[in-house]
Amino acid sequence: MAETLQFIQFGLGPIGLQTVGYLLERSNVELEAAIDIDAVKVGQDVGVLLGCSDPLGVKVSDRAEEVLASTAADVVVLATLSSFAALEEQIMLCLQYGKNVISSCEELSFPWAADPQRAARIDAAARAAGVTVLGSGVNPGFAMDALPLLLSSACRRVDAIHIGRHQDAALRRLPFQQKIGAGLSLDTFAQQVENKRIRHVGFRESVGMIAHALGWQLERVTEEVKPAVAETDLASPFLQVKKGAAAGVLQTATGYLGDQPVITLELQAYLGHPRPRDFVSISGEPPLYSEVVGGFHGDIATCAMIANTVPLVRRAPAGLKTMLDVGLPSWFQGWRG
Amino acid sequence: MAETLQFIQFGLGPIGLQTVGYLLERSNVELEAAIDIDAVKVGQDVGVLLGCSDPLGVKVSDRAEEVLASTAADVVVLATLSSFAALEEQIMLCLQYGKNVISSCEELSFPWAADPQRAARIDAAARAAGVTVLGSGVNPGFAMDALPLLLSSACRRVDAIHIGRHQDAALRRLPFQQKIGAGLSLDTFAQQVENKRIRHVGFRESVGMIAHALGWQLERVTEEVKPAVAETDLASPFLQVKKGAAAGVLQTATGYLGDQPVITLELQAYLGHPRPRDFVSISGEPPLYSEVVGGFHGDIATCAMIANTVPLVRRAPAGLKTMLDVGLPSWFQGWRG
């Protein structure tokens, strides 16, 4: 008889809410409780927030500790903050109540890159509690690290690896178009790069995960963020871009082994990209080129990856783990104990 | 300080020997002992068999039990037999001496498909010994199961999955061209299909692994093997194919959920294939099409996949496991404890 997978949702912003929706589409999966500090959401039924016709019978609470202390579910989907530092307290609270944690926080996908001390603290607490903590998502966590690494296992030798995500931002939502600086003058774009308001977070983590898995001791890692300059006037359903302004972003990270660039990550996201795709190009024996035509769907894939990885977190060994450690995720129709 | 990964090679045919070569290219990896029953190889140095200028200091023995009893290495690379039934005795012998086992045997990749009783026996013995048994390889084990499953984790919903390996056999060795029936008359081809001499082994295992991971209870699985008929005279460096004869093989397996074909595996391997590639096409939300241009390199990828998975087998939980359970493999430069 199939057991039911019960989970607690901690954070009901767009990513959190969509992940809940994706999980509840599976058989034998149930939301036991929901936590958010947004006063507009507290007290509301999660079914209503999801736009369902019927309430789900689970109301949002802002009392995290009370919820964690009084629930049986052993896994928390944590989608509250992007900052790893700010997230530590919430993770520790979950661990205190013996919950496994899966989070969309980018830095948690390979936290030894950004903050090894914090990573060591969380790892120790997770081991002591006998549960797993994992950062997951499409990028970092999959498209530019886990997937290219799995592909590399078909190679006898890897000399260098080049990973690209090329996206046509015209197909995305307004917040994404704003995040990549579409429509900004080049001066404003440069200021926002300076303020780190335009920047994909996760390159450091992906480079760190790849280097760790391949066994490369990198000399240094460089990052660059530039505008993709519109060559003609462009328009999306949401905004206009004048010729000469920023149509989006070109971001690269490069990891060096000695003088050689051996890991290159390249994000191109702008209105009107002529050939959106996700690709992995490995130099080695044999060389290998793999492409997802059109690319992974940014909005769907982030939430799908977290939803699809929830079962792995529950059965993984205790500690702070990465997508390399917990087994191979896949879509699943339902939970089967 | 890095520990050394020591392994025992059991079986020194083409696959076994090539895998040894790939493993010894990595730092901190050492062959401790080698076993084969071939009288021509017994007593010979493995370095000599590998064509190295210097001997390796490891001589081939045909006394399996003596070798297993007297070595410290805790992992055996088993590349002896393709038959799962015949392999059981060798696996059990390795388990008796507390060795982890990784094997290229196709049926071992998902043995619950072919022989659940045998799988249960091996699983029980591996758990009792506190070690791991794993079937690995490019196909089954990767190209048509593990990789497509990982790709599916970017989807909110999977309705059907179509996986293809399209190969230009003209680029492969003579034994491969013979295995796919290139050059045979259609009558002889049909006879050899009947005798199961022309047949890729592993579709049942790949379909089983996919259905298990996605949670699909398949109604039935059908398999079909047909010749790819030469439309003109063809030639490889090794053989001639007359127009109207078999240029190679077209093999499919289809898994049905109710009346719907939901898993389709398709192998096309013939001389002169116009577009060799490995692809995964998922119908669902969103749909996804991924392609390895030119395809995985058949000869290299089989041995690379086994070599690259050896470290995972040593640290996986005890029992009979699949490529879904042991963590994510990748190429690695060397062993690091």
Side-chain angles (χ1 to χ4, degrees), chain A residues 22 25-26 146 149 152-153 155-157 212 214-215 289-293 304-305 308 324 328-331 333 336, chain B residues 22 25 146 149 152-153 155-157 212 214-215 289-293 304-305 308 324 328-331 333 336:
Chain A
Y22 288 7
E25 290 166 357
R26 320 300 168 95
L149 284 168
S152 80
S153 61
C155 296
R156 170 186 184 175
R157 201 186 70 246
H212 171 78
L214 302 187
Y289 178 81
S290 174
E291 177 171 322
V292 174
V293 178
M305 187 63 52
N308 289 326
L324 306 181
L328 204 122
S330 70
W331 179 81
Q333 189 176 52
R336 290 163 310 163
Chain B
Y22 288 8
E25 291 167 358
L149 284 167
S152 79
S153 61
C155 296
R156 169 186 185 176
R157 199 187 71 246
H212 171 78
L214 302 187
Y289 178 82
S290 174
E291 176 172 323
V292 173
V293 178
M305 188 61 53
N308 289 326
L324 306 181
L328 203 121
S330 70
W331 179 81
Q333 188 175 54
R336 290 161 309 162

CSV table of all heavy atoms in Angstrom, one decimal, chain A residues 22 25-26 146 149 152-153 155-157 212 214-215 289-293 304-305 308 324 328-331 333 336, chain B residues 22 25 146 149 152-153 155-157 212 214-215 289-293 304-305 308 324 328-331 333 336:
chain,number,residue,atom,x,y,z
A,22,TYR,N,2.7,22.0,-8.6
A,22,TYR,CA,3.3,20.9,-9.3
A,22,TYR,C,3.3,19.6,-8.5
A,22,TYR,O,3.1,18.5,-9.0
A,22,TYR,CB,4.7,21.2,-9.8
A,22,TYR,CG,4.8,22.2,-10.9
A,22,TYR,CD1,3.7,22.9,-11.4
A,22,TYR,CD2,6.1,22.4,-11.5
A,22,TYR,CE1,3.9,23.8,-12.4
A,22,TYR,CE2,6.2,23.3,-12.6
A,22,TYR,CZ,5.1,24.0,-13.0
A,22,TYR,OH,5.2,24.9,-14.0
A,25,GLU,N,-0.2,17.9,-8.1
A,25,GLU,CA,-0.7,17.2,-9.3
A,25,GLU,C,-0.3,15.7,-9.2
A,25,GLU,O,-0.9,14.9,-10.0
A,25,GLU,CB,0.0,17.8,-10.6
A,25,GLU,CG,-0.6,19.2,-10.9
A,25,GLU,CD,0.3,19.9,-11.9
A,25,GLU,OE1,1.3,19.3,-12.4
A,25,GLU,OE2,-0.1,21.0,-12.3
A,26,ARG,N,0.6,15.3,-8.4
A,26,ARG,CA,1.1,13.9,-8.3
A,26,ARG,C,0.2,13.1,-7.4
A,26,ARG,O,-0.3,13.7,-6.4
A,26,ARG,CB,2.5,13.8,-7.8
A,26,ARG,CG,3.5,14.9,-8.4
A,26,ARG,CD,3.6,14.9,-9.9
A,26,ARG,NE,4.3,16.1,-10.4
A,26,ARG,CZ,5.6,16.2,-10.6
A,26,ARG,NH1,6.3,15.1,-10.5
A,26,ARG,NH2,6.1,17.3,-11.1
A,146,ALA,N,24.8,19.6,-13.1
A,146,ALA,CA,24.4,18.1,-13.0
A,146,ALA,C,24.3,17.5,-14.3
A,146,ALA,O,24.9,16.4,-14.6
A,146,ALA,CB,23.2,17.9,-12.2
A,149,LEU,N,27.7,17.2,-16.2
A,149,LEU,CA,28.5,16.2,-15.5
A,149,LEU,C,28.1,14.8,-15.9
A,149,LEU,O,28.9,14.0,-16.2
A,149,LEU,CB,28.5,16.4,-14.0
A,149,LEU,CG,29.3,17.6,-13.5
A,149,LEU,CD1,29.0,17.9,-12.1
A,149,LEU,CD2,30.8,17.3,-13.7
A,152,SER,N,29.4,14.0,-19.2
A,152,SER,CA,30.8,13.7,-19.3
A,152,SER,C,31.2,12.3,-18.9
A,152,SER,O,32.3,11.8,-19.2
A,152,SER,CB,31.5,14.7,-18.3
A,152,SER,OG,31.5,14.2,-17.0
A,153,SER,N,30.2,11.6,-18.3
A,153,SER,CA,30.6,10.2,-17.9
A,153,SER,C,30.6,9.3,-19.1
A,153,SER,O,31.1,8.2,-19.0
A,153,SER,CB,29.6,9.7,-16.9
A,153,SER,OG,28.3,9.7,-17.4
A,155,CYS,N,32.6,10.0,-21.5
A,155,CYS,CA,33.9,10.4,-22.1
A,155,CYS,C,35.1,9.7,-21.4
A,155,CYS,O,35.0,9.5,-20.1
A,155,CYS,CB,34.2,11.9,-22.0
A,155,CYS,SG,33.0,12.9,-23.0
A,156,ARG,N,36.0,9.3,-22.1
A,156,ARG,CA,37.3,8.7,-21.6
A,156,ARG,C,38.1,9.8,-21.0
A,156,ARG,O,38.8,9.6,-20.0
A,156,ARG,CB,38.0,8.1,-22.7
A,156,ARG,CG,39.4,7.6,-22.4
A,156,ARG,CD,40.2,7.2,-23.6
A,156,ARG,NE,41.5,6.7,-23.3
A,156,ARG,CZ,42.3,6.1,-24.1
A,156,ARG,NH1,41.9,5.9,-25.4
A,156,ARG,NH2,43.5,5.7,-23.8
A,157,ARG,N,38.1,11.0,-21.5
A,157,ARG,CA,38.9,12.1,-21.0
A,157,ARG,C,38.2,13.4,-21.3
A,157,ARG,O,37.6,13.6,-22.4
A,157,ARG,CB,40.2,12.1,-21.8
A,157,ARG,CG,41.3,12.9,-21.0
A,157,ARG,CD,42.6,13.0,-21.9
A,157,ARG,NE,42.4,13.9,-23.0
A,157,ARG,CZ,42.4,13.5,-24.3
A,157,ARG,NH1,42.6,12.3,-24.6
A,157,ARG,NH2,42.2,14.4,-25.2
A,212,HIS,N,34.7,20.3,-8.7
A,212,HIS,CA,34.8,19.3,-7.6
A,212,HIS,C,34.6,17.9,-8.1
A,212,HIS,O,35.4,17.0,-7.8
A,212,HIS,CB,33.7,19.7,-6.6
A,212,HIS,CG,33.5,18.6,-5.5
A,212,HIS,ND1,34.4,18.4,-4.5
A,212,HIS,CD2,32.6,17.6,-5.4
A,212,HIS,CE1,34.0,17.4,-3.7
A,212,HIS,NE2,32.9,16.9,-4.3
A,214,LEU,N,34.9,16.8,-11.3
A,214,LEU,CA,36.0,16.3,-12.2
A,214,LEU,C,37.3,16.2,-11.5
A,214,LEU,O,38.2,15.6,-12.1
A,214,LEU,CB,36.0,17.3,-13.4
A,214,LEU,CG,34.8,17.5,-14.2
A,214,LEU,CD1,35.0,18.4,-15.5
A,214,LEU,CD2,34.1,16.2,-14.6
A,215,GLY,N,37.5,16.8,-10.4
A,215,GLY,CA,38.7,16.8,-9.7
A,215,GLY,C,39.7,17.8,-10.2
A,215,GLY,O,40.9,17.6,-10.1
A,289,TYR,N,28.8,17.0,-28.2
A,289,TYR,CA,28.0,18.2,-28.2
A,289,TYR,C,26.5,17.8,-28.1
A,289,TYR,O,26.0,17.0,-28.8
A,289,TYR,CB,28.2,19.0,-29.6
A,289,TYR,CG,27.3,20.2,-29.6
A,289,TYR,CD1,27.6,21.4,-29.0
A,289,TYR,CD2,26.0,20.1,-30.2
A,289,TYR,CE1,26.8,22.5,-29.0
A,289,TYR,CE2,25.2,21.2,-30.3
A,289,TYR,CZ,25.6,22.4,-29.7
A,289,TYR,OH,24.7,23.5,-29.7
A,290,SER,N,25.9,18.3,-27.0
A,290,SER,CA,24.5,18.0,-26.7
A,290,SER,C,23.7,19.3,-26.6
A,290,SER,O,24.2,20.3,-26.1
A,290,SER,CB,24.5,17.3,-25.4
A,290,SER,OG,23.2,17.1,-25.0
A,291,GLU,N,22.5,19.3,-27.2
A,291,GLU,CA,21.7,20.5,-27.2
A,291,GLU,C,20.3,20.2,-26.9
A,291,GLU,O,19.7,19.2,-27.4
A,291,GLU,CB,21.8,21.1,-28.6
A,291,GLU,CG,20.9,22.3,-28.8
A,291,GLU,CD,21.2,23.1,-30.1
A,291,GLU,OE1,22.4,23.1,-30.5
A,291,GLU,OE2,20.2,23.5,-30.7
A,292,VAL,N,19.7,21.0,-26.1
A,292,VAL,CA,18.2,21.0,-25.9
A,292,VAL,C,17.7,22.1,-26.8
A,292,VAL,O,17.9,23.3,-26.5
A,292,VAL,CB,17.8,21.2,-24.4
A,292,VAL,CG1,16.3,21.3,-24.2
A,292,VAL,CG2,18.4,20.0,-23.6
A,293,VAL,N,17.0,21.7,-27.8
A,293,VAL,CA,16.5,22.7,-28.8
A,293,VAL,C,15.5,23.6,-28.2
A,293,VAL,O,14.5,23.1,-27.6
A,293,VAL,CB,16.0,21.9,-30.1
A,293,VAL,CG1,15.5,22.9,-31.1
A,293,VAL,CG2,17.1,21.0,-30.7
A,304,ALA,N,9.7,22.6,-11.5
A,304,ALA,CA,9.6,21.1,-11.8
A,304,ALA,C,10.8,20.4,-11.1
A,304,ALA,O,10.6,19.3,-10.5
A,304,ALA,CB,9.6,20.9,-13.3
A,305,MET,N,12.0,21.0,-11.3
A,305,MET,CA,13.2,20.3,-10.7
A,305,MET,C,13.1,20.2,-9.2
A,305,MET,O,13.4,19.1,-8.7
A,305,MET,CB,14.4,21.2,-11.1
A,305,MET,CG,15.7,20.6,-10.8
A,305,MET,SD,16.1,19.1,-11.7
A,305,MET,CE,15.8,19.6,-13.4
A,308,ASN,N,10.3,17.5,-8.5
A,308,ASN,CA,10.8,16.2,-8.9
A,308,ASN,C,11.9,15.6,-8.0
A,308,ASN,O,12.1,14.4,-8.0
A,308,ASN,CB,11.2,16.2,-10.3
A,308,ASN,CG,10.0,16.3,-11.3
A,308,ASN,OD1,8.9,15.8,-11.0
A,308,ASN,ND2,10.2,17.0,-12.4
A,324,LEU,N,24.6,16.0,-7.0
A,324,LEU,CA,25.4,14.8,-7.4
A,324,LEU,C,25.3,13.7,-6.4
A,324,LEU,O,25.7,12.6,-6.7
A,324,LEU,CB,26.9,15.3,-7.4
A,324,LEU,CG,27.2,16.5,-8.3
A,324,LEU,CD1,28.7,16.8,-8.2
A,324,LEU,CD2,26.7,16.3,-9.7
A,328,LEU,N,19.4,10.0,-8.9
A,328,LEU,CA,19.0,10.7,-10.1
A,328,LEU,C,17.6,11.1,-10.1
A,328,LEU,O,16.7,10.2,-10.0
A,328,LEU,CB,19.3,9.7,-11.3
A,328,LEU,CG,19.5,10.3,-12.6
A,328,LEU,CD1,20.9,9.9,-13.2
A,328,LEU,CD2,18.5,9.9,-13.6
A,329,PRO,N,17.2,12.4,-10.2
A,329,PRO,CA,15.8,12.8,-10.2
A,329,PRO,C,15.2,12.5,-11.5
A,329,PRO,O,15.8,12.5,-12.6
A,329,PRO,CB,15.9,14.3,-9.9
A,329,PRO,CG,17.2,14.7,-10.4
A,329,PRO,CD,18.1,13.6,-10.3
A,330,SER,N,13.9,12.4,-11.5
A,330,SER,CA,13.1,12.3,-12.8
A,330,SER,C,11.7,12.8,-12.4
A,330,SER,O,11.3,12.9,-11.2
A,330,SER,CB,13.0,10.9,-13.3
A,330,SER,OG,12.2,10.1,-12.5
A,331,TRP,N,11.0,13.1,-13.4
A,331,TRP,CA,9.5,13.4,-13.2
A,331,TRP,C,9.0,12.1,-12.6
A,331,TRP,O,9.5,11.0,-12.9
A,331,TRP,CB,8.8,13.7,-14.6
A,331,TRP,CG,7.4,13.9,-14.4
A,331,TRP,CD1,6.7,15.0,-13.9
A,331,TRP,CD2,6.3,12.9,-14.6
A,331,TRP,NE1,5.4,14.8,-13.9
A,331,TRP,CE2,5.1,13.5,-14.3
A,331,TRP,CE3,6.3,11.6,-15.1
A,331,TRP,CZ2,3.9,12.8,-14.5
A,331,TRP,CZ3,5.1,10.9,-15.2
A,331,TRP,CH2,3.9,11.5,-14.9
A,333,GLN,N,5.0,10.2,-11.5
A,333,GLN,CA,3.5,10.4,-11.5
A,333,GLN,C,3.0,10.4,-10.1
A,333,GLN,O,2.0,11.1,-9.9
A,333,GLN,CB,3.0,9.2,-12.3
A,333,GLN,CG,1.5,9.3,-12.5
A,333,GLN,CD,1.0,8.1,-13.3
A,333,GLN,OE1,1.2,6.9,-13.0
A,333,GLN,NE2,0.3,8.4,-14.4
A,336,ARG,N,5.3,6.5,-4.2
A,336,ARG,CA,5.1,5.1,-3.9
A,336,ARG,C,5.9,4.5,-2.8
A,336,ARG,O,6.7,3.6,-2.9
A,336,ARG,CB,5.5,4.2,-5.2
A,336,ARG,CG,4.5,4.4,-6.3
A,336,ARG,CD,5.2,3.9,-7.5
A,336,ARG,NE,6.6,4.5,-7.6
A,336,ARG,CZ,7.6,4.0,-8.3
A,336,ARG,NH1,7.4,2.9,-9.0
A,336,ARG,NH2,8.7,4.6,-8.4
B,22,TYR,N,41.3,2.7,-19.2
B,22,TYR,CA,40.7,4.0,-18.9
B,22,TYR,C,40.8,4.3,-17.4
B,22,TYR,O,41.0,5.5,-17.0
B,22,TYR,CB,39.2,4.0,-19.2
B,22,TYR,CG,38.9,4.0,-20.7
B,22,TYR,CD1,39.9,3.9,-21.7
B,22,TYR,CD2,37.6,4.2,-21.2
B,22,TYR,CE1,39.6,3.9,-23.0
B,22,TYR,CE2,37.3,4.2,-22.5
B,22,TYR,CZ,38.2,4.1,-23.4
B,22,TYR,OH,37.9,4.1,-24.8
B,25,GLU,N,44.4,5.5,-16.4
B,25,GLU,CA,44.8,6.8,-16.8
B,25,GLU,C,44.5,7.9,-15.7
B,25,GLU,O,45.0,9.0,-15.8
B,25,GLU,CB,44.0,7.3,-18.1
B,25,GLU,CG,44.4,6.5,-19.3
B,25,GLU,CD,43.3,6.7,-20.5
B,25,GLU,OE1,42.3,7.4,-20.3
B,25,GLU,OE2,43.6,6.1,-21.5
B,146,ALA,N,19.0,6.4,-17.9
B,146,ALA,CA,19.4,7.4,-16.9
B,146,ALA,C,19.4,8.8,-17.4
B,146,ALA,O,18.8,9.7,-16.8
B,146,ALA,CB,20.8,7.1,-16.4
B,149,LEU,N,15.8,10.1,-18.2
B,149,LEU,CA,15.1,10.3,-16.9
B,149,LEU,C,15.6,11.6,-16.3
B,149,LEU,O,14.8,12.4,-15.8
B,149,LEU,CB,15.3,9.1,-15.9
B,149,LEU,CG,14.5,7.9,-16.3
B,149,LEU,CD1,15.0,6.7,-15.5
B,149,LEU,CD2,13.0,8.1,-16.0
B,152,SER,N,13.9,14.4,-17.9
B,152,SER,CA,12.5,14.6,-17.6
B,152,SER,C,12.3,15.4,-16.3
B,152,SER,O,11.1,15.8,-16.0
B,152,SER,CB,11.9,13.2,-17.4
B,152,SER,OG,12.1,12.6,-16.2
B,153,SER,N,13.3,15.5,-15.5
B,153,SER,CA,13.1,16.2,-14.2
B,153,SER,C,12.9,17.7,-14.4
B,153,SER,O,12.5,18.4,-13.5
B,153,SER,CB,14.3,15.9,-13.2
B,153,SER,OG,15.5,16.4,-13.8
B,155,CYS,N,10.6,18.7,-16.4
B,155,CYS,CA,9.2,18.8,-16.9
B,155,CYS,C,8.2,18.7,-15.7
B,155,CYS,O,8.4,18.0,-14.7
B,155,CYS,CB,8.9,17.6,-17.8
B,155,CYS,SG,9.8,17.6,-19.3
B,156,ARG,N,7.2,19.5,-15.9
B,156,ARG,CA,6.1,19.5,-14.9
B,156,ARG,C,5.2,18.2,-15.1
B,156,ARG,O,4.7,17.7,-14.2
B,156,ARG,CB,5.2,20.7,-15.2
B,156,ARG,CG,3.9,20.7,-14.5
B,156,ARG,CD,3.0,21.9,-15.0
B,156,ARG,NE,1.8,21.9,-14.2
B,156,ARG,CZ,0.9,22.9,-14.3
B,156,ARG,NH1,1.1,23.9,-15.2
B,156,ARG,NH2,-0.2,22.9,-13.6
B,157,ARG,N,5.2,17.7,-16.4
B,157,ARG,CA,4.3,16.6,-16.7
B,157,ARG,C,4.9,15.8,-17.9
B,157,ARG,O,5.4,16.5,-18.8
B,157,ARG,CB,2.9,17.0,-17.0
B,157,ARG,CG,1.9,15.9,-16.9
B,157,ARG,CD,0.5,16.3,-17.4
B,157,ARG,NE,0.5,16.5,-18.9
B,157,ARG,CZ,0.4,17.6,-19.5
B,157,ARG,NH1,0.2,18.7,-18.9
B,157,ARG,NH2,0.5,17.6,-20.8
B,212,HIS,N,9.6,2.3,-14.0
B,212,HIS,CA,9.8,2.3,-12.5
B,212,HIS,C,10.0,3.7,-12.0
B,212,HIS,O,9.3,4.1,-11.0
B,212,HIS,CB,11.0,1.4,-12.2
B,212,HIS,CG,11.3,1.5,-10.7
B,212,HIS,ND1,10.6,0.8,-9.7
B,212,HIS,CD2,12.3,2.2,-10.1
B,212,HIS,CE1,11.2,1.1,-8.5
B,212,HIS,NE2,12.2,1.9,-8.7
B,214,LEU,N,9.3,6.7,-13.4
B,214,LEU,CA,8.2,7.6,-13.7
B,214,LEU,C,6.9,7.1,-12.9
B,214,LEU,O,6.0,7.9,-12.8
B,214,LEU,CB,7.9,7.7,-15.2
B,214,LEU,CG,9.0,8.2,-16.1
B,214,LEU,CD1,8.5,8.4,-17.5
B,214,LEU,CD2,9.7,9.4,-15.5
B,215,GLY,N,6.9,5.9,-12.5
B,215,GLY,CA,5.7,5.4,-11.8
B,215,GLY,C,4.6,4.9,-12.7
B,215,GLY,O,3.4,5.0,-12.3
B,289,TYR,N,13.1,18.4,-26.5
B,289,TYR,CA,13.9,17.6,-27.4
B,289,TYR,C,15.4,17.9,-27.2
B,289,TYR,O,15.9,19.0,-27.3
B,289,TYR,CB,13.5,18.0,-28.9
B,289,TYR,CG,14.3,17.2,-29.9
B,289,TYR,CD1,14.0,15.9,-30.2
B,289,TYR,CD2,15.5,17.7,-30.4
B,289,TYR,CE1,14.8,15.2,-31.1
B,289,TYR,CE2,16.3,17.0,-31.3
B,289,TYR,CZ,15.9,15.7,-31.6
B,289,TYR,OH,16.7,15.0,-32.5
B,290,SER,N,16.1,16.8,-26.9
B,290,SER,CA,17.5,16.9,-26.6
B,290,SER,C,18.3,16.0,-27.6
B,290,SER,O,17.8,14.9,-27.8
B,290,SER,CB,17.8,16.5,-25.2
B,290,SER,OG,19.2,16.4,-24.9
B,291,GLU,N,19.4,16.4,-28.1
B,291,GLU,CA,20.1,15.6,-29.0
B,291,GLU,C,21.6,15.7,-28.8
B,291,GLU,O,22.2,16.8,-28.6
B,291,GLU,CB,19.8,16.1,-30.5
B,291,GLU,CG,20.6,15.4,-31.5
B,291,GLU,CD,20.2,15.8,-32.9
B,291,GLU,OE1,18.9,16.0,-33.2
B,291,GLU,OE2,21.0,15.9,-33.8
B,292,VAL,N,22.3,14.6,-28.8
B,292,VAL,CA,23.7,14.5,-28.9
B,292,VAL,C,24.1,14.3,-30.3
B,292,VAL,O,23.8,13.3,-30.9
B,292,VAL,CB,24.3,13.4,-28.0
B,292,VAL,CG1,25.8,13.2,-28.2
B,292,VAL,CG2,24.0,13.6,-26.5
B,293,VAL,N,24.7,15.4,-30.9
B,293,VAL,CA,24.9,15.4,-32.3
B,293,VAL,C,26.0,14.4,-32.7
B,293,VAL,O,27.1,14.3,-32.0
B,293,VAL,CB,25.4,16.8,-32.8
B,293,VAL,CG1,25.7,16.8,-34.3
B,293,VAL,CG2,24.3,17.8,-32.5
B,304,ALA,N,34.0,3.9,-20.8
B,304,ALA,CA,34.1,5.2,-20.0
B,304,ALA,C,33.0,5.2,-18.9
B,304,ALA,O,33.3,5.6,-17.7
B,304,ALA,CB,33.9,6.4,-20.9
B,305,MET,N,31.8,4.8,-19.2
B,305,MET,CA,30.7,4.8,-18.3
B,305,MET,C,31.0,3.9,-17.1
B,305,MET,O,30.8,4.3,-15.9
B,305,MET,CB,29.4,4.4,-19.0
B,305,MET,CG,28.2,4.6,-18.2
B,305,MET,SD,27.8,6.2,-17.7
B,305,MET,CE,27.9,7.1,-19.3
B,308,ASN,N,34.0,5.5,-15.1
B,308,ASN,CA,33.6,6.7,-14.4
B,308,ASN,C,32.6,6.4,-13.2
B,308,ASN,O,32.4,7.3,-12.3
B,308,ASN,CB,32.9,7.7,-15.4
B,308,ASN,CG,34.0,8.3,-16.3
B,308,ASN,OD1,35.1,8.5,-15.9
B,308,ASN,ND2,33.6,8.6,-17.5
B,324,LEU,N,20.1,4.8,-11.1
B,324,LEU,CA,19.3,5.9,-10.5
B,324,LEU,C,19.6,6.1,-9.0
B,324,LEU,O,19.2,7.1,-8.4
B,324,LEU,CB,17.8,5.5,-10.6
B,324,LEU,CG,17.3,5.2,-12.1
B,324,LEU,CD1,15.9,4.9,-12.1
B,324,LEU,CD2,17.6,6.4,-13.0
B,328,LEU,N,25.3,10.7,-9.0
B,328,LEU,CA,25.5,11.1,-10.4
B,328,LEU,C,26.9,10.9,-10.9
B,328,LEU,O,27.9,11.5,-10.3
B,328,LEU,CB,25.1,12.6,-10.5
B,328,LEU,CG,24.7,13.0,-11.9
B,328,LEU,CD1,23.3,13.6,-11.9
B,328,LEU,CD2,25.7,14.1,-12.4
B,329,PRO,N,27.2,10.0,-11.9
B,329,PRO,CA,28.6,9.8,-12.3
B,329,PRO,C,29.1,11.0,-13.2
B,329,PRO,O,28.3,11.7,-13.8
B,329,PRO,CB,28.5,8.5,-13.1
B,329,PRO,CG,27.1,8.5,-13.6
B,329,PRO,CD,26.2,9.2,-12.6
B,330,SER,N,30.3,11.1,-13.2
B,330,SER,CA,31.0,12.0,-14.2
B,330,SER,C,32.4,11.5,-14.5
B,330,SER,O,32.9,10.7,-13.7
B,330,SER,CB,31.0,13.5,-13.6
B,330,SER,OG,32.0,13.5,-12.6
B,331,TRP,N,33.0,12.0,-15.5
B,331,TRP,CA,34.4,11.8,-15.7
B,331,TRP,C,35.1,12.3,-14.5
B,331,TRP,O,34.6,13.3,-13.9
B,331,TRP,CB,34.9,12.5,-17.0
B,331,TRP,CG,36.4,12.3,-17.2
B,331,TRP,CD1,37.0,11.3,-17.7
B,331,TRP,CD2,37.4,13.3,-16.8
B,331,TRP,NE1,38.3,11.5,-17.7
B,331,TRP,CE2,38.6,12.7,-17.2
B,331,TRP,CE3,37.4,14.5,-16.2
B,331,TRP,CZ2,39.8,13.3,-17.0
B,331,TRP,CZ3,38.6,15.2,-16.0
B,331,TRP,CH2,39.8,14.6,-16.4
B,333,GLN,N,39.2,13.1,-12.9
B,333,GLN,CA,40.7,13.1,-13.2
B,333,GLN,C,41.4,12.1,-12.3
B,333,GLN,O,42.4,11.5,-12.7
B,333,GLN,CB,41.2,14.5,-13.0
B,333,GLN,CG,42.7,14.7,-13.4
B,333,GLN,CD,43.1,16.1,-13.3
B,333,GLN,OE1,43.0,16.7,-12.2
B,333,GLN,NE2,43.6,16.7,-14.4
B,336,ARG,N,40.0,10.8,-5.1
B,336,ARG,CA,40.4,11.7,-3.9
B,336,ARG,C,39.7,11.2,-2.6
B,336,ARG,O,39.0,12.0,-2.0
B,336,ARG,CB,39.9,13.1,-4.2
B,336,ARG,CG,40.7,13.8,-5.2
B,336,ARG,CD,39.8,15.0,-5.7
B,336,ARG,NE,38.5,14.6,-6.0
B,336,ARG,CZ,37.4,15.3,-6.1
B,336,ARG,NH1,37.5,16.6,-5.8
B,336,ARG,NH2,36.3,14.8,-6.4
